[in-house]
Amino acid sequence: MSETIICLACYGDRLASVFDNADEFRFYKVDGEEICPAGRLSLPSKDPLDRTSAILACGVNTLICGAVCRRTQQQFCNAGIAVRPWVRGGVEDVLDAFVQDTLGSLAMPGCRAVADGGAKPGMSCCRSGKGFGRQRAGAGGDLNKSNKGRRS
Amino acid sequence: MPFPKELPFEDVLSSIADGLFTVDTDWNITYFNEAAERITGIPAEEAMGQKCRDVFHSSLCDGSCALKECIDCGGVISGKSIFIVRPDGERVPVSISAAPLRNARGEVVGGVETFRDLTELHLMRRKVEDLYSVEDIVGRSEALGKIFRILPQVSRSEATVLLLGESGTGKELFARAVHNLSDRRKGPFVAVNCGALPDTLLESELFGYKAGAFTDAKADKPGRFELARGGTIFLDEIGDLPAKLQVKLLRVLQERVYEPLGGVSPVRTDVRVVAATNRNLEALVADGDFRQDLYYRLNVVTLRLPPLRERPEDIPLLTDHFIREYNALQGKCVEGVSEDVMALLLRHGFPGNVRELENILEFAFILCGSGFIQLEHLPDSIRPLEASGYPLGMVGTLEEIKCRAVHEALERNNGKKMATCRELDISKDTLRRMLQRCGEEPAKPGE
């Protein structure tokens, strides 16, 4: 069972509506059934290239964010990072949805198909090439049983 | 003027070309017109009732909301350039206007935002730039247009070209354009700044030297004229050329030969000379600092490059040009400059000409990674002081402010110290000490 690091592009305690607007990146380590905070990163630079490089340097596997332009998403994809864009909601809700594989329910209006990854070619990508999302041991695994109390 | 009650208000809103949406006080969308659907790519039925930030995806949506600013301050925002991100990942440049909405009792019940898609405008600007550019020189002003019209013919001739213009007007760019448009384009383009090298070094740089010409000259060294063989040599700051070299250059222009340092036989040269200066050569000739015969040899074709302040219509084109260039160089996605930045640029005097504009935009690129360059991204030297949050004259350390006050008072009083003392209500000794601290006067021994 491999360990995965996910990154949430946040504004305050919610996902930033646009990736470029995020004032903080929150990292979570996903190991089997557990999600643990793995650090935060506030970058003074709003330069998308700087942000992309910083996130890449943190060993992130999956980025969850709001609206993101094609070019930035492509940069992540080229680096082998899965991107789950067009998601909205508070950090806790997003983590819950990620664990339950229901991020589609938090899709921004009019973006459901894109957030689910099926609408646009090239919109989904990941290291394993099996579509984005958390790398899970078993498709039907009950992963969120014990993780709620472990994040803060 | 009240809207006529008998007219279908919703139909009117639907028919306008600009996107328009309204929100309630909780930022939930209460109306979303057809143009808004088209520009954002989101159907109205999905947008209605949703938080505007989740639908609009603009560069202002997290923390800099224009609607919130309007509602909080009770004002309106007009023509602010931002970008939105569509669900297909496309960044769309838009110009937004926002205002609060009030009920009959004057209470704020929400806000309205209109937005215009600037994509077409940007494409048109790009086409216009292509239309109004020669080589790397961009401009649509009449002053530059005249030069553009004759530049190809001038370039194809073998005539010596003299470029006159203030610092930063792009003299080297024009020199390169002359070279690139000439039959010598496949040859080298060699630029020499005549003002940057000491006289003795300049001579050996231009004409080269022979082994043994001086101590340490162990082997022949080709000069720039030799390196430019078959191409063009650009002599920048020609007005700074020392008298001795003026004679030598005159010989090159007249007889196409020169002698390297320590050489005994003349060397034939095959270069086209383009010279440039920001100094008044005629005045230098009149003062005896520049040879008249050389001036007339150089002055076969003279191109006067207009300063940027005389062609403000070129500023938007040049701005777009530099933004495109820096985007390509730095891999950024800066869309352009906001309207207020452009207004500021158009008002600025640009004593440093195009180079100053380029430097301003290069600075802005450091602070602005994407979207539109706003006032806060500009250097303090051009930014209006209200944007930096300080009143006029109050920027800098206390000592700097004092120095500035003394300096300005002296200027106002034509350098008269007693009058300055009276204006500032300080003693002569205080003024003297201030001037010493500010480096205007040397300190006396023991002070």
Side-chain angles (χ1 to χ4, degrees):
Chain A
M1 202 174 290
S2 60
E3 186 180 88
T4 302
I5 296 175
I6 63 170
C7 170
L8 272 57
C10 297
Y11 178 78
D13 282 333
R14 62 168 171 83
L15 283 188
S17 56
V18 179
F19 171 80
D20 297 359
N21 299 344
D23 63 356
E24 188 176 61
F25 296 98
R26 298 191 187 186
F27 302 96
Y28 296 88
K29 208 173 275 181
V30 182
D31 191 2
E33 298 182 354
E34 290 185 5
I35 291 186
C36 298
R40 296 176 180 207
L41 183 64
S42 294
L43 286 177
S45 169
K46 295 277 181 189
D47 185 340
L49 268 183
D50 292 349
R51 292 171 158 231
T52 314
S53 305
I55 292 169
L56 291 178
C58 293
V60 169
N61 304 82
T62 300
L63 168 72
I64 304 173
C65 60
V68 63
C69 73
R70 203 179 291 142
R71 185 172 170 165
T72 304
Q73 190 172 347
Q74 197 58 50
Q75 284 168 357
F76 284 114
C77 288
N78 292 344
I81 291 183
V83 183
R84 304 242 20 201
W86 307 100
V87 178
R88 61 176 167 174
V91 170
E92 287 297 314
D93 295 336
V94 172
L95 290 174
D96 281 343
F98 180 74
V99 166
Q100 291 161 17
D101 261 358
T102 56
L103 275 182
S105 65
L106 296 180
M108 288 174 155
C111 308
R112 178 70 186 249
V114 191
D116 281 340
K120 302 278 173 189
M123 293 299 283
S124 66
C125 51
C126 73
R127 233 183 265 280
S128 61
K130 292 176 185 170
F132 48 57
R134 188 155 77 93
Q135 293 171 0
R136 303 175 70 173
D142 189 11
L143 295 178
N144 62 334
K145 276 190 294 193
S146 59
N147 60 20
K148 285 213 167 181
R150 302 191 185 196
R151 48 182 128 101
S152 54
Chain B
M1 182 190 290
F3 193 80
K5 283 179 185 159
E6 67 278 12
L7 294 182
F9 189 62
E10 201 168 319
D11 289 350
V12 173
L13 292 182
S14 289
S15 68
I16 61 175
D18 287 355
L20 182 149
F21 68 85
T22 58
V23 293
D24 61 21
T25 49
D26 289 326
W27 317 110
N28 296 316
I29 290 179
T30 51
Y31 179 74
F32 205 71
N33 77 347
E34 283 179 27
E37 289 183 293
R38 179 172 41 78
I39 298 170
T40 61
I42 294 174
E45 61 268 23
E46 296 221 33
M48 293 293 284
Q50 304 289 339
K51 297 277 184 238
C52 55
R53 65 167 183 260
D54 292 334
V55 173
F56 201 42
H57 320 133
S58 88
S59 47
L60 297 180
C61 279
D62 297 293
S64 314
C65 177
L67 271 173
K68 185 172 187 309
E69 194 182 323
C70 287
I71 289 171
D72 288 350
C73 304
V76 295
I77 284 177
S78 178
K80 193 172 176 70
S81 298
I82 60 167
F83 70 84
I84 61 171
V85 185
R86 290 165 52 107
D88 59 4
E90 196 66 40
R91 288 161 75 103
V92 180
V94 294
S95 167
I96 61 159
S97 298
L101 287 175
R102 297 175 194 278
N103 63 15
R105 292 187 298 279
E107 298 158 343
V108 173
V109 292
V112 57
E113 187 159 320
T114 59
F115 50 103
R116 179 169 297 176
D117 187 349
L118 300 178
T119 310
E120 287 295 317
L121 187 70
H122 282 219
L123 287 174
M124 270 174 60
R125 273 190 183 170
R126 191 161 295 184
K127 280 182 188 164
V128 167
E129 190 188 315
D130 291 342
L131 208 61
Y132 291 110
S133 61
V134 172
E135 292 291 310
D136 278 344
I137 310 157
V138 179
R140 50 162 295 190
S141 58
E142 184 50 33
L144 220 50
K146 277 183 191 166
I147 299 177
F148 283 174
R149 282 194 288 278
I150 61 167
L151 198 62
Q153 291 102 302
V154 168
S155 304
R156 278 195 296 273
S157 74
E158 278 290 298
T160 302
V161 177
L162 179 61
L163 300 167
L164 300 176
E166 292 178 10
S167 180
T169 46
K171 294 188 284 292
E172 183 160 346
L173 272 184
F174 274 90
R176 283 184 187 278
V178 168
H179 173 71
N180 291 338
L181 295 170
S182 73
D183 295 336
R184 294 176 173 268
R185 70 178 75 84
K186 288 181 181 162
F189 176 87
V190 177
V192 188
N193 188 325
C194 301
L197 295 169
D199 301 0
T200 46
L201 194 57
L202 183 60
E203 184 174 6
S204 64
E205 271 302 307
L206 284 176
F207 304 108
Y209 57 76
K210 292 284 180 189
F214 48 84
T215 316
D216 286 341
K218 294 192 172 71
D220 291 1
K221 179 187 182 288
R224 303 285 179 100
F225 271 94
E226 181 60 30
L227 295 175
R229 183 178 286 274
T232 307
I233 190 165
F234 172 52
L235 302 175
D236 201 2
E237 310 292 358
I238 192 78
D240 295 340
L241 198 68
K244 184 182 152 197
L245 292 184
Q246 288 180 26
V247 182
K248 222 164 170 176
L249 179 60
L250 180 65
R251 191 170 173 221
V252 173
L253 294 175
Q254 278 180 340
E255 299 166 28
R256 299 278 155 193
V257 291
Y258 65 90
E259 276 162 19
L261 268 171
V264 287
S265 54
V267 176
R268 184 149 288 279
T269 180
D270 173 27
V271 294
R272 195 222 188 133
V273 175
V274 178
T277 183
N278 58 4
R279 301 178 69 180
N280 184 345
L281 278 189
E282 285 173 357
L284 289 177
V285 170
D287 293 344
D289 294 331
F290 200 84
R291 292 183 66 99
Q292 192 173 36
D293 43 8
L294 177 59
Y295 172 65
Y296 286 117
R297 276 289 168 185
L298 289 171
N299 192 17
V300 180
V301 177
T302 300
L303 299 177
R304 288 178 200 280
L305 311 186
L308 193 52
R309 66 178 170 279
E310 286 178 14
R311 48 185 184 110
E313 61 269 46
D314 288 342
I315 292 174
L317 269 180
L318 285 163
T319 303
D320 285 348
H321 171 76
F322 287 128
I323 286 175
R324 192 135 50 99
E325 205 169 270
Y326 284 125
N327 273 334
L329 276 174
Q330 301 180 15
K332 291 192 174 182
C333 309
V334 173
E335 311 277 347
V337 299
S338 66
E339 265 88 349
D340 36 5
V341 167
M342 183 52 75
L344 185 67
L345 293 176
L346 288 170
R347 282 201 306 271
H348 189 59
F350 288 106
N353 289 299
V354 182
R355 188 183 294 127
E356 183 183 357
L357 175 65
E358 188 179 6
N359 290 347
I360 288 168
L361 293 171
E362 189 175 0
F363 179 93
F365 257 72
I366 297 169
L367 301 182
C368 177
S370 60
F372 285 84
I373 292 171
Q374 307 288 347
L375 284 176
E376 59 268 26
H377 299 134
L378 299 182
D380 285 344
S381 56
I382 182 176
R383 202 150 46 119
L385 287 164
E386 62 269 26
S388 60
Y390 296 101
L392 195 68
M394 296 300 281
V395 183
T397 64
L398 183 60
E399 192 67 13
E400 286 167 352
I401 294 166
K402 279 183 182 175
C403 284
R404 208 155 44 234
V406 167
H407 184 72
E408 286 170 2
L410 265 173
E411 273 191 344
R412 276 195 297 276
N413 292 292
N414 299 320
K416 291 176 183 158
K417 291 184 180 168
M418 282 311 294
T420 305
C421 288
R422 277 196 295 276
E423 183 189 324
L424 296 174
D425 196 19
I426 56 176
S427 69
K428 246 170 63 178
D429 285 339
T430 306
L431 178 64
R432 183 174 48 79
R433 280 195 299 274
M434 280 299 304
L435 290 174
Q436 282 167 0
R437 286 214 304 272
C438 301
E440 304 262 334
E441 271 186 12
K444 287 181 181 169
E447 282 187 338

